[in-house]
Amino acid sequence: MSHPSRKASKRRAITASAGLGLVLVLGVLSSANANDTGAKSLLKAMSDYMAGQTAISFSYDTSLEIVTKDHQKLLLASSGAVDLSRPDKIHASRHGGFANVEMTFDGKTLTLLSKDANLYAQADIHGTIDHLVDELRDTYHRPVPGADLLLSNVYEELMRDVVDVKDLGSGVIGGIECDHLAFRAKEVDWQIWIAQGAHPYPCRYVITSKEVDQGPQYSVQIRDWKTGNQVAVADFAFKNEAGAKKVDPKDLTDIDELPNHMAIGGVQ
């Protein structure tokens, strides 16, 4: 049986240790606030690097947190790949527990394919990848999470409404040493880990919804990054190799990371 004075000493030691940890954290954050110019410069360098790449390919893993009505936090995971040719061609795939989909855009036609249902839909969209992202969000109400990282003006898009910036030093993602930056906007907090060196690509991007109960997060982690001559030549024309049936875009359901039965108000 422990002596009472020993218990009290242990409690004091734990309290002191926790207090020291808090002081250290506050000290780090205070110095981080002073480095906002450096953080912005690192983000701008990433943006310029990304915009300068005419051919990009990578694989990715995503995590989408949702909160149920009884305040349970659940995590949905998926993986996929992206091939991009600026200014107006992209092929993206995503395979998760609720959807196995592909998106193809050749500068003139957008094709969405549900591989599990063997259905596809098309829409006439002419323009760049930037225009495609806007159309998906504003016209078809299908925002592409993390798509800001693929735009030609990444810095301007990400910095919109930002009110606080922190440089948190280094972190390691998938064995790659990265600069770790944190930003705050009105509705969301977001963090980004940018590979150090001559190829400052985003290794991880995390968005936290501040105005939703328990602050659920959406994260994208990028791997197998390739650019230029490392990228295999891709054909961005849709080929209906599986004989999928064409349907109206509104009839192509359950192709998002959040399935219909888990929509707002639907999760029990």
Side-chain angles (χ1 to χ4, degrees):
M1 187 174 186
S2 300
H3 192 277
S5 62
R6 291 182 182 176
K7 287 185 178 180
S9 297
K10 186 175 181 180
R11 284 196 297 270
R12 285 195 295 270
I14 292 173
T15 301
S17 176
L20 177 60
L22 180 60
V23 169
L24 290 175
V25 169
L26 290 176
V28 169
L29 294 183
S30 295
S31 63
N33 281 327
N35 295 329
D36 61 340
T37 301
K40 291 177 182 178
S41 296
L42 290 168
L43 185 67
K44 184 63 165 62
M46 184 204 78
S47 177
D48 292 344
Y49 168 76
M50 294 285 286
Q53 307 308 308
T54 57
I56 295 173
S57 74
F58 60 88
S59 300
Y60 67 89
D61 301 300
T62 69
S63 296
L64 173 65
E65 289 184 339
I66 60 174
V67 179
T68 67
K69 290 180 178 179
D70 58 357
H71 309 294
Q72 181 181 12
K73 187 179 286 189
L74 306 175
L75 187 68
L76 306 181
S78 62
S79 295
V82 172
D83 292 293
L84 178 151
S85 178
R86 296 196 191 279
D88 59 358
K89 294 176 177 62
I90 185 170
H91 176 270
S93 63
R94 176 173 47 79
H95 190 187
F98 300 98
N100 185 5
V101 298
E102 289 187 2
M103 179 185 76
T104 305
F105 179 65
D106 61 3
K108 297 179 180 179
T109 304
L110 168 69
T111 303
L112 296 174
L113 170 67
S114 173
K115 300 180 75 172
D116 289 339
N118 206 29
L119 300 174
Y120 76 97
Q122 291 183 313
D124 292 329
I125 300 177
H126 293 250
T128 64
I129 295 170
D130 290 18
H131 178 65
L132 170 67
V133 172
D134 289 340
E135 283 288 294
L136 285 171
R137 181 186 61 232
D138 300 332
T139 303
Y140 295 94
H141 308 294
R142 294 186 182 276
V144 182
D148 289 346
L149 300 177
L150 304 179
L151 300 178
S152 61
N153 57 341
V154 179
Y155 183 82
E156 288 78 8
E157 289 296 325
L158 291 183
M159 287 300 296
R160 184 175 292 130
D161 300 325
V162 166
V163 296
D164 184 75
V165 180
K166 293 181 177 68
D167 181 347
L168 300 179
S170 295
V172 177
I173 304 294
I176 305 297
E177 188 165 5
C178 302
D179 292 307
H180 179 194
L181 313 176
F183 301 80
R184 307 204 80 180
K186 180 180 178 181
E187 297 181 353
V188 300
D189 290 341
W190 56 275
Q191 300 176 70
I192 193 164
W193 287 256
I194 301 172
Q196 296 180 357
H199 308 287
Y201 68 91
C203 292
R204 179 183 288 172
Y205 179 46
V206 178
I207 304 169
T208 303
S209 300
K210 295 192 294 185
E211 297 188 344
V212 179
D213 179 42
Q214 297 192 53
Q217 293 184 333
Y218 179 83
S219 69
V220 180
Q221 184 160 318
I222 291 175
R223 50 189 167 81
D224 304 326
W225 179 264
K226 296 176 182 176
T227 60
N229 295 332
Q230 297 176 317
V231 179
V233 177
D235 183 356
F236 294 91
F238 172 65
K239 295 179 176 63
N240 190 7
E241 297 176 344
K245 178 183 177 182
K246 186 175 182 178
V247 297
D248 189 273
K250 64 179 176 57
D251 296 324
L252 199 62
T253 61
D254 276 337
I255 63 171
D256 298 319
E257 288 181 275
L258 184 65
N260 289 349
H261 72 278
M262 287 189 177
I264 295 174
V267 180
Q268 302 299 319

